[in-house]
Amino acid sequence: MTTMYDLAREEYAALGIDTEAVMAKLVEKPISVHCWQGDDVLGFDQEGGLSGGIQTTGNYPGRARTFEELTADFEAAMALVPGAKRINLHASYAVFTDENPWVDRDALEFKHFAPWVAWAREHGFGIDFNPTIFGHPMMNNELSLSSPDKATRDFWIRHCKACRKISQQIAEALDDETLCNIWIPDGLKDVPGDRYGLRERLRDSLDEIYAEKYDRVIDSCESKVFGIGLESMTVGSNEFYLAYAATHPGVYDLLDMGHFHPTENVADKLSALLLFFDKVPLHVTRALRWDSDHVVLFDDAVKEMAMEVAHCPGAWEKVIIGLDFFDASINRVGAWAIGTRAMEKSLLYALLQPAAQLKEMQDTYRFTEKMALSEQAKSMPFGAVWDEYCRRAGCPLDGEVYPMVAAYEAKVLPQRV
């Protein structure tokens, strides 16, 4: 019997696109999924609450409160998502026990993350890692690595050094590589009296952090245009980190789609970096008016980013895709599943576009023909290929996701109220 997928495969084949090859390619591309959607970015060690302009809004019931709850929720969400997955951890998710009691962030060790490693190995997940430079009493006036106070700087330098060492040990334990990404909220609410000194201290702090080299750690720094309460100046701007990465081989500039002016096209930046760097780390999010970190959807901004990843020469291998969103107003397992599926869906959509023909038409100035083909491709039977991709992965179709999320919620919610 001819299926909807069979018809779709034939239609795409007429444009020279092999849907079987596309699905085989996509299933191997990992998405690094952030752990912090599951508990509203609270972590297991925070004493100072959220800071640095980070805000999680909503009070939907069922937030994960422990390592066991968070991993169970993550497993439930990822079972609904086709393709390869990693988990992205913040240092604030250290697991403290009677045998390994609480230590401050500058004294963290691999043993505090050993439960994560054992769990990830069991489920086939890679791990990425982040120092947690917010939500802590040592965030002195929202300054850390750029602080004029040496004791404050030294504390966060020790924390970042510890996290890079932990990242290396995680990678060794999993026979893998680990992205270790540094984001700091450092900035000023009002007009600075001295921008240069802040950035000079940040540069010197990074030099000290990166002095020791690790062969399994991919180092990156994440820029931001501004934060709530830090409207006048952000020390770690994109210009700063791009210049730092360009002059410090082995350190990369991470692009977060919510960390630029709302009218900037972050997808447009990817090709520029790909020409000069062998890796480009990426955080995909959905920013509404500011860095609101709404759940990723199958929308134009994500599809355009996926087009760059899918079709820029070398990008499929170079771009490290991570997600970064958090919404406490909806079911958190549902948010994870829907957002990660949207990223995967966008990549599939991009791989099914006639990119070679579009490029050739552009290069031969056939702009009207290019526009016509681009519009034709938008109404191709993409949904039938997505459904087939999900079936082969043993994952639900789009209309089946919410009932499975609701069933999981009904099972676990009574234990968390």
Side-chain angles (χ1 to χ4, degrees):
M1 177 185 293
T2 301
T3 66
M4 294 293 291
Y5 170 68
D6 293 330
L7 296 173
R9 181 173 57 186
E10 292 176 6
E11 192 167 341
Y12 278 107
L15 284 180
I17 298 166
D18 183 346
T19 58
E20 292 292 319
V22 162
M23 290 190 288
K25 181 175 184 176
L26 178 57
V27 77
E28 300 296 329
K29 179 67 173 175
I31 306 296
S32 188
V33 185
H34 53 307
C35 73
W36 48 93
Q37 165 60 59
D39 78 330
D40 309 337
V41 205
L42 291 179
F44 303 147
D45 80 331
Q46 290 190 29
E47 300 177 63
L50 294 180
S51 66
I54 299 173
Q55 294 186 2
T56 304
T57 56
N59 58 355
Y60 196 92
R63 178 184 68 81
R65 301 159 299 180
T66 65
F67 169 75
E68 291 76 17
E69 290 180 352
L70 192 57
T71 51
D73 288 358
F74 191 86
E75 291 170 36
M78 293 305 105
L80 308 178
V81 181
K85 276 86 68 176
R86 303 172 64 85
I87 187 166
N88 194 9
L89 299 179
H90 252 285
S92 55
Y93 290 84
V95 180
F96 300 116
T97 64
D98 291 339
E99 293 76 23
N100 292 312
W102 179 89
V103 297
D104 212 340
R105 291 183 191 170
D106 63 336
L108 288 171
E109 299 179 54
F110 173 78
K111 64 184 180 182
H112 301 114
F113 299 91
W116 284 107
V117 173
W119 169 82
R121 184 187 294 113
E122 178 185 353
H123 295 279
F125 299 137
I127 294 179
D128 296 309
F129 203 72
N130 308 260
T132 304
I133 309 178
F134 58 84
H136 191 279
M138 286 295 283
M139 282 307 302
N140 189 1
N141 292 310
E142 298 292 7
L143 296 175
S144 60
L145 296 176
S146 69
S147 172
D149 179 64
K150 187 175 186 303
T152 299
R153 290 199 312 277
D154 287 348
F155 175 87
W156 291 114
I157 288 169
R158 291 194 301 272
H159 175 56
C160 290
K161 286 182 173 181
C163 289
R164 293 186 69 237
K165 182 177 181 180
I166 291 165
S167 297
Q168 173 74 12
Q169 292 168 308
I170 288 172
E172 290 172 349
L174 296 176
D175 191 22
D176 196 5
E177 291 183 317
T178 295
L179 176 70
C180 183
N181 177 58
I182 293 176
W183 173 75
I184 61 171
D186 294 34
L188 295 173
K189 181 177 179 66
D190 219 325
V191 179
D194 174 27
R195 291 181 173 91
Y196 187 93
L198 288 164
R199 290 187 168 129
E200 182 178 40
R201 289 189 291 271
L202 175 55
R203 180 202 62 189
D204 293 347
S205 294
L206 292 175
D207 285 348
E208 188 171 345
I209 289 165
Y210 292 130
E212 185 168 358
K213 305 303 178 185
Y214 293 108
D215 62 347
R216 289 177 177 263
V217 176
I218 302 168
D219 288 303
S220 67
C221 294
E222 179 180 355
S223 67
K224 191 167 184 177
V225 68
F226 87 101
I228 297 296
L230 309 165
E231 291 84 2
S232 287
M233 186 243 187
T234 298
V235 182
S237 65
N238 191 54
E239 294 81 1
F240 176 90
Y241 285 135
L242 187 55
Y244 192 90
T247 54
H248 293 75
V251 179
Y252 300 94
D253 180 30
L254 185 146
L255 300 177
D256 184 297
M257 290 179 66
H259 285 191
F260 294 87
H261 191 278
T263 61
E264 285 189 85
N265 182 356
V266 184
D268 183 62
K269 303 176 186 298
L270 205 57
S271 56
L273 270 63
L274 287 166
L275 285 166
F276 301 100
F277 294 96
D278 64 338
K279 293 181 179 64
V280 180
L282 176 67
H283 278 179
V284 178
T285 187
R286 182 164 57 101
L288 296 183
R289 304 184 187 278
W290 70 293
D291 181 33
S292 58
D293 285 318
H294 278 64
V295 176
V296 169
L297 299 179
F298 182 57
D299 63 9
D300 287 346
V302 178
K303 284 189 284 186
E304 187 167 1
M305 180 63 79
M307 283 291 291
E308 296 296 299
V309 174
H311 299 297
C312 283
W316 196 256
E317 294 74 28
K318 291 181 179 181
V319 177
I320 302 167
I321 302 174
L323 304 180
D324 186 3
F325 55 80
F326 37 93
D327 189 340
S329 71
I330 61 175
N331 181 289
R332 296 166 184 84
V333 170
W336 257 330
I338 293 166
T340 310
R341 284 171 66 98
M343 184 71 249
E344 194 81 355
K345 188 183 294 186
S346 298
L347 290 169
L348 179 65
Y349 179 87
L351 290 168
L352 290 170
Q353 299 305 297
Q357 295 98 310
L358 294 170
K359 178 183 184 302
E360 195 270 336
M361 291 172 184
Q362 176 178 302
D363 290 346
T364 52
Y365 312 110
R366 292 147 58 197
F367 297 122
T368 308
E369 189 178 358
K370 179 178 74 71
M371 183 183 292
L373 178 59
S374 178
E375 289 301 294
Q376 175 190 346
K378 291 177 182 177
S379 58
M380 295 280 284
F382 158 76
V385 184
W386 169 249
D387 287 351
E388 181 68 13
Y389 182 64
C390 290
R391 287 191 193 98
R392 294 186 186 187
C395 292
L397 305 187
D398 285 347
E400 300 166 338
V401 170
Y402 178 72
M404 298 180 77
V405 169
Y408 180 78
E409 179 184 275
K411 183 177 71 172
V412 303
L413 189 58
Q415 306 162 26
R416 302 189 187 180
V417 176

